Structures are given as structure tokens and as C-alpha cells.
Amino acid sequence: MNSRKQHVIKMSHQLFIDRGYHATSIQDILDYSGISKGTFYNYFASKNELLISIFKGLHSKMKKERNELLIGKDESDLDVFIKQFELQMNINRKYKLFTLFEEVLISPDPELKQFVKEAQIGVIKWTFERFVEIFGEDKKPYLLDCAIMFIGILNQNMKYYALEHDRYTTGVHQVVLYSVLRVEKMVKELATSGEQLNEPELLDKWVPKKLKVNGTFQEELNQSINDLKKISLENHDATKYIELLDFIQDELLHAKNPRAFLIENTLVPLKNSSLFDSKQVEHLEYLVSIFFNEHNN
Amino acid sequence: MNSRKQHVIKMSHQLFIDRGYHATSIQDILDYSGISKGTFYNYFASKNELLISIFKGLHSKMKKERNELLIGKDESDLDVFIKQFELQMNINRKYKLFTLFEEVLISPDPELKQFVKEAQIGVIKWTFERFVEIFGEDKKPYLLDCAIMFIGILNQNMKYYALEHDRYTTGVHQVVLYSVLRVEKMVKELATSGEQLNEPELLDKWVPKKLKVNGTFQEELNQSINDLKKISLENHDATKYIELLDFIQDELLHAKNPRAFLIENTLVPLKNSSLFDSKQVEHLEYLVSIFFNEHNN
DNA sequence: TTATAGATTGTACTGGTAGTCTAATATGTA
DNA sequence: TACATATTAGACTACCAGTACAATCTATAA
């Protein structure tokens, strides 16, 4: 991504942290990051879209670091899970994500509203899937409920713990640990009592549809890739991009288990190339994220 | 309160429910309730204050109904507690309180922000106090944590349960019951493990100070009552008000355990009287609510 | 070096918002 | 009737997000 654009994102995020989202005007952002209004609206369609950019950036950073904590470790290890949530809480705290989220929770803007909603469901989904890994498949019927309640418990505990122990970072560990222990007992208890509120299958309904089987999605994907191929063909020295695009197309549509990380890696040179319209590449990236159902977790 | 003002509150609340707070402009409210801008700003200092009026009205309604469920019942009866929270959830749902609250959660307006925060802590406080009644004094050290987590569990469960079972009101009972059962087990578990996150004493710090001992508060109270007495003295046929005011003053400042309901009852005729400036009576009512620390629960 | 395309700028503009102010009018009460 | 008070309509301010566009800068390629 354009480094200038990145700079604007950084500066405006700082302003949002300092003054809040609503209290920061476009003009503030222009002055603070030293760009003009025209450029701003060249980068972002709206103030809301800028905010979404900030969220997305931090989210992918968080996702990356969170996954790094798992490599080489046992996925059923509760300590790793605790560390993962600690990480997320610390990033939330550092970048005031919670505050910003709250500020736009119910926003007049439907796009932003949808984004926030999807992000929240994504957290539930990830937690649920980790719970299945940790507590085992046999507990699955109760684990969606537990994931939902865990998020509730953790957020509330964080909120009120912060009221007292504002400065100590060690507190985060304590709160996460305490919350995880509570939910651990709850899983056991529910497994014996057998009570259930939500079927785990509901998650699939909540999460934006996997469009994999959907014909129109496949068309859109092909269209997007073909557009980029066309541009590559029109340019000498761009055959390597055609190879990459062919690979992506094949992996997504014909592989039994398409490998997300491979495709994400393959997208990198495309994104960095000045050959393509960045919007087109971003659109392809978006389609890929839908394919892997990854834009929420 | 002025019935015309009450009408505006009702109409604007309806608009807020239908379109959302931000999406409703002052002009919409004026058109819909058939008043002029001047009158609006005569009633409310701002749009935010109107919203606070709506909250306060519903809150006192809720408080009243909630307490009615308890009369003649055993305060340690868990079923009553469940019914009480069901009631609150139903009122929340009916009047979209949650949605409205969320919409202004972090508001640019500090007054509104503070109001929301106090309301939330009020819910925690009330829940905590009920938990003490239900689970017993010996569990007290864990009950603030449990109250905090219960609210988190309940809200999350309501949120995601509503995603599926939107239409059924019966669901509310199910969700509240499920959540209460979870916290019940949690209390037991914590009592044996002895883990604690927040000392219950913290509540006193979070709740706005009791100004009872504060000299200036007592002065303000006396001042307020004396102002009203003065008006009564200036009018024939108003001696009965003086009696009432004397009673309030005595009960508040000299009784060992001032009885809130008595004083609230006593305020009613004062509020209904056309003799007094409604603002003055409201101020007294406000001071009384501070005295009993009741404006949050 | 120059030509050209694309990015960037500054600024004026639209249309919307909350809230202020005021002169005129209506209403209820002594 | 007279007077105080409540209400009205609307003009007005100040702010905001977002649009439009002509002018200017910048990098690259001939």
C-alpha cells in the first residue's frame, strides 16, 4: 500500500486515540498529516472507510501475531490460548480499539455497522474454534455458548478491572487467566448438565456465506483474475504475473484443500506491482478473504 | 412534569426507536410532535438532554416495576431475581434501550457519557446487592465479580440469542434462566477456589459519592427545602406543604435510617402542585436521589 | 531536455446538522 | 381588560462531511 496513505492512516489513528473518532474532523486529519482534502478523498471514500482501514490493519497485525503464538505449540494447550487473548487485549488497549469500536458500535453508516458486526462474530467464531481444539470435539455442543459467554465475561472483567488497575499491564494476564478459568469450569459443568442455548451450527448462518459453491462468486473471481491477466498480457515483462494469477485461480477453484497462506503470499507481488490498479488487486484480495472466510477472524 | 413536554419525550422516543438517535434530527422531532424549535429548547437544553430524559423516565418505570416484583416475596428467592431481570430485558427490548444506549455509548458529549457510565455501574451495583441477598453474606467477596460477569454473560447471550429467535418473547425467560444458572454454579465454584478479581468495596468508589456527610450537600438540601417553604409561607392554603417539607427535612437529616419510599411519596404532592416552580421541586428530588444513592440503580 | 500522465493541491461549493436569538403571537390568570 | 408567561416561526451562526474542478507539481519516458 501507498506509504503516504499508510502515513495518513497512522496520523489519523493517533488523532482518533487522542480526541475520539467523532471529535476528529477531516480538517484535523488534513492538517495533522499534511495532505489536502482532494488527496484524502482519493485515498478513502469516506471518514468511515478510513476507520475501517485502521481496523483492518490492526486486525491483520493481531491475527498474524496471534497465530505466531501457536506455531510449534500444542493447539489444545490452554496456556497458549491465554497468551493469545492477552495479546489481543493488549493490542486493544494500546490502540484503543475497544473505545473506537464502541464509539461507532451503532453507527448511522450501514457499511461500518456491518463491519463491526462481522468483526464481533469473527471473534466469537475464532474463540469457538479454539475451544473445540482445547476442550475436544465431544464438548462441541456447548462450546458456542461458552465462547459467547467467555467474550462477555472477559470484556466485562477487563472493563471494570481497568477502572481500578489502570496502569498495570500485569493485570491483563490476571484478568484473562481468571476469565479462562471460569469458562473452563463452565465447560465441565455444562457437559454434565447438558444445557444448551445455541447450536454451534448457527455460526455458519451468522458468518457471511461461504460463496465457494455459489456460481456468481466463482464468476466474479474469474472475472477479477482475468482482468488482471489481461493487463499482464498487454505488458511485456509481465508473464510472471500471469503465472501467479494462474496459480491462484487453480488453487482456489481446483485444489481439494486450497492453502490460504500460499495464496496470500502470491498476492504480495501483485499488490506491490505498479502495473495494476491497486483497487483491482484489493478486490481480488477481498474475494480471496471471502473464499477462506477469513475476513472475520 | 408538563404533559406537553411528556408528549415530546414520547414522540421523540418513538422516532429514536424507528430511525435511531443520530438519524433523527431536531427538525424531525419538531415536525412529529408538533412543537416549535423555541419550545423544544425551552424544554431541553440539548438533544442529549432529551435522550437522558427518556432514559430516566424508563429507568424509574423499570425500577418501580422491578421492586414491585419483590414485595411479599423472599428476597433470597432466585426465581424472583430471574423475573426481575426478565422484566428488565423485556423493557430493554420493547423500548430498544440497549440499542439507544449503544448508539451513544461513547458519545462526544461528556454529560451523556457520564450518565451512561453511571447507569451501567448502577446495574452492577443492584445486581451485586441482590446477589448478596440471594447467595448470602458469606459469599460476598466473590459477588461483585459474579455480578460483573453475570451482566456480561446475560448481555452476550441476549445479543446472540436474539440473532436467531427474534420473535419469541419466551426466549427471554430461557436466556435469563440459563445465565442465572451459570452464575449460580460460578458462585459455588468461586467460594471453594477462593479466587477474587475485584473487592466489593470498590463499588463505593465507583458509585458517585454519598454526599450525606458532606457539609455543602446538607447546606444545599436545606437551601432547597427552605426555598420551597418560603413560597409556601407566601401563600395562604399552603401550610400542608410546609408540613411535608418539614417531614422530609427531618427524615433526611435526623432519622437513623431515612425511609426512601416515604420521602418519595411525600414529594408527589409537591410535584403536582402548581404552586412551585417545577425546576425547584425537581432539584429537591435530585438531591434526595443523591442522598439515597439511588440515581443509578 | 521536453512532453505527458498521474498525483496532489487549494478552494469554493452543496447540503446537512445543532443550537441561538428575537420579534410577534397566543394563552391563561388576576 | 391587562399582564405575565408560554409558544411560535424563522432567520441566523457555526460547524460538519463530502463534491467538483481547475491549477500545479512530479516522475518517467521519449
Side-chain angles (χ1 to χ4, degrees):
Chain A
M1 196 188 300
N2 188 338
S3 82
R4 199 174 160 82
K5 184 174 173 183
Q6 210 59 50
H7 177 251
V8 177
I9 289 179
K10 202 173 164 186
M11 292 294 111
S12 55
H13 185 196
Q14 193 54 51
L15 285 178
F16 291 165
I17 288 176
D18 294 342
R19 317 181 184 179
Y21 178 69
H22 292 305
T24 304
S25 72
I26 299 278
Q27 196 54 51
D28 292 336
I29 296 169
L30 304 185
D31 297 344
Y32 196 61
S33 35
I35 59 160
S36 73
K37 201 166 217 175
T39 308
F40 180 91
Y41 281 99
N42 199 24
Y43 290 155
F44 312 99
S46 67
K47 197 181 167 189
N48 280 339
E49 216 171 71
L50 161 64
L51 187 63
I52 291 182
S53 290
I54 294 174
F55 281 149
K56 280 190 174 162
L58 287 171
H59 182 249
S60 69
K61 171 193 166 80
M62 194 169 75
K63 211 169 86 182
K64 190 166 151 279
E65 292 182 23
R66 177 222 266 168
N67 289 338
E68 280 168 4
L69 285 174
L70 201 63
I71 51 176
K73 300 282 171 59
D74 182 2
E75 60 185 17
S76 70
D77 185 346
L78 200 57
D79 286 337
V80 176
F81 178 76
I82 292 171
K83 286 216 177 65
Q84 286 181 313
F85 252 101
E86 263 180 69
L87 171 84
Q88 296 182 64
M89 292 297 117
N90 283 324
I91 289 185
N92 275 342
R93 162 176 293 209
K94 184 171 174 190
Y95 298 108
K96 300 269 177 77
L97 278 188
F98 261 49
T99 320
L100 282 177
F101 250 82
E102 275 184 341
E103 194 170 350
V104 295
L105 239 185
I106 302 291
S107 150
D109 180 64
E111 192 195 1
L112 192 48
K113 205 167 148 180
Q114 181 62 19
F115 179 81
V116 171
K117 194 180 159 191
E118 283 181 15
Q120 288 176 334
I121 288 177
V123 172
I124 299 284
K125 182 169 179 278
W126 182 82
T127 307
F128 166 72
E129 283 163 356
R130 291 289 287 118
F131 276 1
V132 174
E133 292 174 343
I134 292 166
F135 298 112
E137 278 282 336
D138 56 314
K139 303 288 195 321
K140 204 168 180 175
Y142 319 105
L143 293 181
L144 175 55
D145 288 334
C146 288
I148 289 170
M149 290 189 283
F150 173 69
I151 300 301
I153 289 172
L154 182 61
N155 285 347
Q156 283 280 104
N157 278 338
M158 283 295 293
K159 182 171 164 182
Y160 289 99
Y161 195 84
L163 246 57
E164 270 316 296
H165 315 78
D166 206 14
R167 42 200 171 281
Y168 310 112
T169 323
T170 61
V172 174
H173 174 256
Q174 207 177 334
V175 174
V176 175
L177 180 62
Y178 179 91
S179 306
V180 168
L181 288 178
R182 297 291 79 68
V183 88
E184 195 188 15
K185 309 280 183 190
M186 210 152 32
V187 172
K188 273 187 197 156
E189 189 245 312
L190 284 171
T192 61
S193 80
E195 288 167 90
Q196 192 195 40
L197 216 49
N198 298 290
E199 303 259 358
E201 285 70 31
L202 289 178
L203 259 183
D204 296 327
K205 282 182 66 177
W206 296 345
V207 166
K209 310 255 173 299
K210 290 200 185 194
L211 300 170
K212 208 166 164 178
V213 284
N214 186 327
T216 58
F217 174 73
Q218 197 163 323
E219 275 171 35
E220 198 177 344
L221 192 64
N222 280 326
Q223 184 65 49
S224 173
I225 292 180
N226 288 336
D227 286 348
L228 292 170
K229 275 198 213 168
K230 208 170 163 187
I231 296 169
S232 308
L233 278 170
E234 285 162 2
N235 286 275
H236 50 285
D237 190 34
T239 48
K240 57 172 182 173
Y241 293 126
I242 295 181
E243 276 174 27
L244 296 177
L245 289 163
D246 274 337
F247 168 75
I248 292 175
Q249 201 164 23
D250 196 59
E251 183 77 9
L252 281 179
L253 300 178
H254 304 122
K256 256 172 274 172
N257 295 302
R259 290 153 290 182
F261 68 95
L262 270 182
I263 291 177
E264 273 163 24
N265 270 338
T266 315
L267 281 169
V268 173
L270 297 174
K271 281 192 280 184
N272 291 338
S273 166
S274 58
L275 195 61
F276 307 106
D277 177 11
S278 68
K279 278 188 187 166
Q280 266 185 299
V281 182
E282 274 164 28
H283 181 63
L284 177 57
E285 203 180 4
Y286 170 70
L287 292 175
V288 167
S289 78
I290 286 182
F291 183 94
F292 287 109
N293 236 333
E294 274 199 349
H295 52 312
N296 331 290
N297 57 19
Chain B
M1 195 188 300
N2 187 336
S3 81
R4 200 175 160 82
K5 184 174 172 182
Q6 209 60 49
H7 176 251
V8 177
I9 290 180
K10 202 173 164 185
M11 292 294 110
S12 55
H13 184 197
Q14 193 54 51
L15 285 178
F16 291 164
I17 288 177
D18 294 342
R19 317 180 185 180
Y21 178 70
H22 293 304
T24 304
S25 72
I26 299 278
Q27 196 54 53
D28 292 335
I29 295 169
L30 305 186
D31 297 344
Y32 196 60
S33 33
I35 58 160
S36 74
K37 202 165 217 176
T39 308
F40 180 91
Y41 281 100
N42 199 22
Y43 289 153
F44 311 100
S46 68
K47 196 181 166 189
N48 279 339
E49 216 171 71
L50 161 63
L51 186 63
I52 291 182
S53 290
I54 292 174
F55 281 148
K56 280 189 174 164
L58 287 171
H59 182 249
S60 69
K61 170 191 166 80
M62 191 168 78
K63 210 169 86 182
K64 191 167 150 278
E65 293 183 23
R66 177 221 267 168
N67 289 338
E68 279 168 4
L69 285 173
L70 202 62
I71 51 176
K73 299 283 172 57
D74 182 2
E75 61 185 17
S76 70
D77 185 346
L78 200 58
D79 286 336
V80 177
F81 178 75
I82 291 171
K83 286 215 177 66
Q84 285 182 314
F85 252 101
E86 263 180 69
L87 172 83
Q88 296 182 66
M89 291 298 117
N90 283 324
I91 289 185
N92 274 342
R93 163 177 292 210
K94 184 171 173 191
Y95 299 108
K96 299 269 177 77
L97 277 188
F98 260 49
T99 320
L100 281 178
F101 250 82
E102 275 186 340
E103 195 170 350
V104 295
L105 239 185
I106 303 291
S107 150
D109 180 67
E111 192 195 1
L112 192 49
K113 207 167 147 180
Q114 180 63 18
F115 179 80
V116 172
K117 194 179 158 191
E118 284 181 15
Q120 288 175 334
I121 288 177
V123 173
I124 300 285
K125 183 170 179 279
W126 182 82
T127 307
F128 165 73
E129 283 163 358
R130 291 290 285 119
F131 276 0
V132 174
E133 291 173 345
I134 292 166
F135 298 111
E137 280 282 336
D138 56 315
K139 306 285 196 318
K140 203 168 179 175
Y142 318 106
L143 293 181
L144 175 57
D145 288 332
C146 287
I148 289 171
M149 289 189 283
F150 173 69
I151 300 301
I153 289 173
L154 182 62
N155 286 346
Q156 282 280 102
N157 279 338
M158 283 296 292
K159 181 171 163 183
Y160 288 99
Y161 195 83
L163 246 56
E164 270 315 297
H165 314 77
D166 208 12
R167 40 198 173 282
Y168 312 112
T169 324
T170 61
V172 174
H173 174 255
Q174 208 178 334
V175 174
V176 174
L177 179 63
Y178 180 92
S179 305
V180 169
L181 288 178
R182 298 290 80 68
V183 87
E184 195 188 15
K185 310 280 183 188
M186 208 148 40
V187 172
K188 272 186 197 156
E189 189 245 312
L190 284 171
T192 61
S193 80
E195 288 167 271
Q196 192 195 39
L197 215 50
N198 297 290
E199 304 259 358
E201 286 70 31
L202 289 177
L203 260 182
D204 296 327
K205 282 183 65 179
W206 296 344
V207 167
K209 309 258 173 297
K210 291 198 185 194
L211 300 170
K212 208 163 162 180
V213 285
N214 187 327
T216 57
F217 173 74
Q218 196 162 324
E219 275 172 37
E220 199 177 341
L221 192 62
N222 280 326
Q223 183 66 50
S224 171
I225 291 179
N226 287 335
D227 286 348
L228 292 169
K229 275 198 212 169
K230 209 170 162 187
I231 296 169
S232 308
L233 277 171
E234 285 163 1
N235 287 275
H236 49 285
D237 188 35
T239 47
K240 57 172 182 173
Y241 293 128
I242 296 182
E243 277 174 26
L244 296 177
L245 289 163
D246 273 336
F247 168 75
I248 294 174
Q249 201 163 22
D250 197 58
E251 184 77 8
L252 281 178
L253 300 177
H254 304 121
K256 256 173 273 172
N257 295 304
R259 289 154 290 183
F261 68 97
L262 270 182
I263 292 177
E264 273 163 25
N265 270 337
T266 315
L267 280 169
V268 174
L270 297 174
K271 280 193 280 184
N272 291 337
S273 166
S274 58
L275 194 63
F276 308 105
D277 178 11
S278 68
K279 279 189 186 165
Q280 264 185 300
V281 181
E282 274 166 26
H283 181 62
L284 177 56
E285 202 180 3
Y286 171 71
L287 293 175
V288 168
S289 79
I290 287 182
F291 183 94
F292 287 109
N293 236 333
E294 276 199 346
H295 53 311
N296 329 290
N297 57 19

